[in-house]
Amino acid sequence: EDQVTQSPEALRLQEGESSSLNCSYTVSGLRGLFWYRQDPGKGPEFLFTLYSAGEEKEKERLKATLTKKESFLHITAPKPEDSATYLCAVAAGGTSYGKLTFGQGTILTVHP
Amino acid sequence: EPEVTQTPSHQVTQMGQEVILRCVPISNHLYFYWYRQILGQKVEFLVSFYNNEISEKSEIFDDQFSVERPDGSNFTLKIRSTKLEDSAMYFCASSPPRQRQSGSGANVLTFGAGSRLTVL
């Protein structure tokens, strides 16, 4: 069974204090690993897709990296508007196109 | 920017009633999905739909649930005889025609804002 575990469950940072979120996964044949951002009462908003170990992607203050067992979402000099729940999800081989298994998310709060 | 639109944003129903949640996917997308998120829990896959038929469904998606694309724009989730445990946020998602990405075959889902279902 595919599993995705995110840590920590919650993270409180001061504005400008860089940190990383972790996503550990167990999947049979990774098709892709996805990072989404979710604001309260909203749907997940796409951030990144990573397909193979060693791959990295960046967008503004966010950088996602991937190894064979985990992914990190690095947040550099965060701002209060980065506060949200960050979701990690995997697409596994042998499943239908677009079936994602999600982690429980990391709730990030950035204080001014 | 194109978006997935869901209606209603919130529906309250009595246990045993039928509800229909509606979605308008992004116009050039070919793959459609329903996910749900019970309060405080993970986002869970319910069903994927392509070429007018179900591609895959989860264990949650039993005979109580059905999906339909009644016309060229709408995608619906019907829940028959609702139960208390059906209370959740239901997300519709869509994705474009399949693309080659390093041979992975995975593509990006765009989610709607969700429909909150409350069963009393």
Side-chain angles (χ1 to χ4, degrees), chain B:
Chain B
E1 186 173 332
E3 60 180 23
V4 175
T5 305
Q6 291 187 240
T7 55
S9 57
H10 188 193
Q11 181 155 356
V12 180
T13 190
Q14 294 292 322
M15 191 168 54
Q17 296 297 304
E18 175 181 288
V19 299
I20 297 176
L21 306 180
R22 292 182 168 80
C23 169
V24 179
I26 294 173
S27 60
N28 65 339
H29 285 188
L30 298 181
Y31 297 83
F32 313 111
Y33 317 88
W34 285 99
Y35 283 76
R36 81 172 185 188
Q37 186 174 31
I38 295 171
L39 188 64
Q41 297 188 22
K42 297 182 181 184
V43 177
E44 303 174 286
F45 170 80
L46 291 179
V47 65
S48 58
F49 190 87
Y50 170 70
N51 200 26
N52 280 320
E53 61 182 25
I54 291 174
S55 307
E56 186 169 356
K57 58 184 181 180
S58 70
E59 292 178 353
I60 303 167
F61 195 90
D62 59 20
D63 292 343
Q64 183 193 6
F65 295 88
S66 62
V67 289
E68 191 177 33
R69 188 157 163 81
D71 53 43
S73 59
N74 291 286
F75 180 51
T76 63
L77 174 68
K78 182 187 290 186
I79 309 174
R80 287 179 283 274
S81 189
T82 50
K83 299 177 277 194
L84 295 176
E85 54 264 39
D86 295 327
S87 295
M89 183 76 98
Y90 289 81
F91 294 108
C92 175
S94 67
S95 61
R98 195 163 181 165
Q99 298 176 354
R100 287 192 175 275
Q101 293 277 357
S102 304
S104 69
N107 213 327
V108 175
L109 273 63
T110 300
F111 285 84
S115 292
R116 179 168 298 284
L117 176 63
T118 301
V119 182
L120 302 177

